[in-house]
Amino acid sequence: MTMLDDRQTAAPWPTAYPQGYAVVDVETTGLARDDRIVSAAVYRLDALGNVEDHWYTLVNPERDPGPVWIHGLTSDVLEGAPLFPEVAAELSARLADRVLVAHNAAFDWSMIAREYARASVVAPVEQRLCTIALAKELRLPLPNHKLASLAAHFGVVQQHAHHALDDARVLAEAFRPSLHAAARGGVRLPLLECRPLTEWSDSPVAPRVGYQPARQPNSWRPSRKRQACPYPNPGRYEKEKPLQQGMRVAFSGDTSIDRELLEDRAVEAGLHVATSVSRLTSLLVTNDPDAATSKTQKAKSFGTPILEESAFTHLLRDVAPADGAVLPRQATPPPE
């Protein structure tokens, strides 16, 4: 029996919970800002997490398909697939009036938002929910935050990893018991606002041989020099306390959210983004604290607090104002 066969629900069901969900998975040509979607799947769920229907499509990325050894989609397979603008309406119909649910939702949402922006269409998504964040809220005893680990915890069998339709199915099956556990425990769902991209310009994609995950120039947003942080540095971040405007934040290694976007959100919240680690650095954000990078080594030698990306982005939602400062009335919401 899979978790989808279990129809028991929490009583009473929290009225503040969303009335419908769209569990999404996309496979892409890579992880950079100029990469494209090659396949997409959506499982629509009702308010209790029960499956209503599912949908899957290939998407012609109009470029090299990237890591074929991961998603299995070659140029020949994708040649006759529809372009994203040709499937945008169908995808919109399945996302409309629902919370987008994904495993590492910041990535799936960013890829979808960029495709919509290229097509000059607004994505009908107002909120997203990351199942990694939900697993942390539920304190699930997972060895790591991979989809396979979440699936194994709930007894869900993966049949075809990195196939968008099967990954979406697995996530839908794992999300339902997670949703019920949250309802039983009165756990707040970690919902975040989705804002569509409002600026985009196409530029020729440099030819690539195979898959190269290194960062490449693109035109998603113009480069610019950031203004100096107007707030004084209040010192180091302290565990279990909020971030405070003026704190100096450094980043190291790869991030699931585009680095420039993540840094922008930190600046908008009133933090100072530092390019290096010193004794004045308030915290270091990295997903690999054991990496032998100069920033992590300096942070450890200075005793600088180290946070993983997901913890940092959660803290970005409630940054305390600097002494004597007032937070903007409409601050840009942080990503996951």
Side-chain angles (χ1 to χ4, degrees), residues 309-327:
E309 178 187 357
S310 59
F312 174 72
T313 52
H314 274 284
L315 288 171
L316 270 182
R317 292 181 295 182
D318 297 297
V319 176
D323 293 338
V326 178
L327 285 172

Side-chain angles (χ1 to χ4, degrees), residues 3 23-27 41 43 70 101-105 107-108 129-136 140-178:
M3 299 308 296
V23 178
V24 173
D25 185 78
V26 297
E27 297 299 321
Y43 266 74
I70 295 179
V101 178
H103 201 67
N104 190 4
F107 172 76
D108 292 81
L129 187 157
C130 179
T131 47
I132 295 177
L134 180 57
K136 291 181 178 180
L140 299 182
L142 304 179
N144 53 54
H145 298 299
K146 296 181 179 179
L147 177 58
S149 297
L150 182 66
H153 178 78
F154 289 112
V156 180
V157 179
Q158 282 189 300
Q159 298 175 353
H160 194 171
H162 298 298
H163 186 288
L165 183 60
D166 194 60
D167 280 354
R169 174 193 63 82
V170 169
L171 189 57
E173 292 193 23
F175 174 64
R176 183 171 181 269
S178 298

Side-chain angles (χ1 to χ4, degrees), residues 191-330:
L191 300 174
L192 291 176
E193 182 182 1
C194 289
R195 291 193 176 186
L197 298 182
T198 56
E199 54 182 284
W200 185 275
S201 61
D202 287 320
S203 62
V205 177
R208 297 192 295 180
V209 178
Y211 175 57
Q212 301 174 5
R215 298 179 184 180
Q216 302 178 15
N218 52 73
S219 59
W220 179 57
R221 61 173 63 192
S223 60
R224 61 202 182 283
K225 184 178 180 179
R226 294 189 177 93
Q227 295 181 349
C229 180
Y231 308 111
N233 184 356
R236 290 182 174 178
Y237 165 74
E238 297 182 32
K239 189 176 181 180
E240 307 298 337
K241 291 187 178 181
L243 297 173
Q244 186 173 3
Q245 289 181 326
M247 283 186 171
R248 298 176 64 93
V249 182
F251 297 88
S252 177
D254 293 332
T255 52
S256 61
I257 302 168
D258 178 86
R259 174 66 69 82
E260 186 172 298
L261 177 60
L262 188 58
E263 291 179 351
D264 280 355
R265 297 291 171 83
V267 170
E268 291 167 359
L271 304 178
H272 174 100
V273 173
T275 57
S276 61
V277 174
S278 71
R279 296 183 185 278
L280 298 177
T281 304
S282 303
L283 73 156
L284 174 68
V285 178
T286 179
N287 288 323
D288 189 3
D290 296 323
T293 66
S294 60
K295 288 183 181 179
T296 55
Q297 290 178 340
K298 286 184 178 179
K300 291 178 180 179
S301 67
F302 295 147
T304 304
I306 298 176
L307 288 178
E308 64 175 19
E309 178 187 357
S310 59
F312 174 72
T313 52
H314 274 284
L315 288 171
L316 270 182
R317 292 181 295 182
D318 297 297
V319 176
D323 293 338
V326 178
L327 285 172
R329 295 181 62 186
Q330 291 184 339

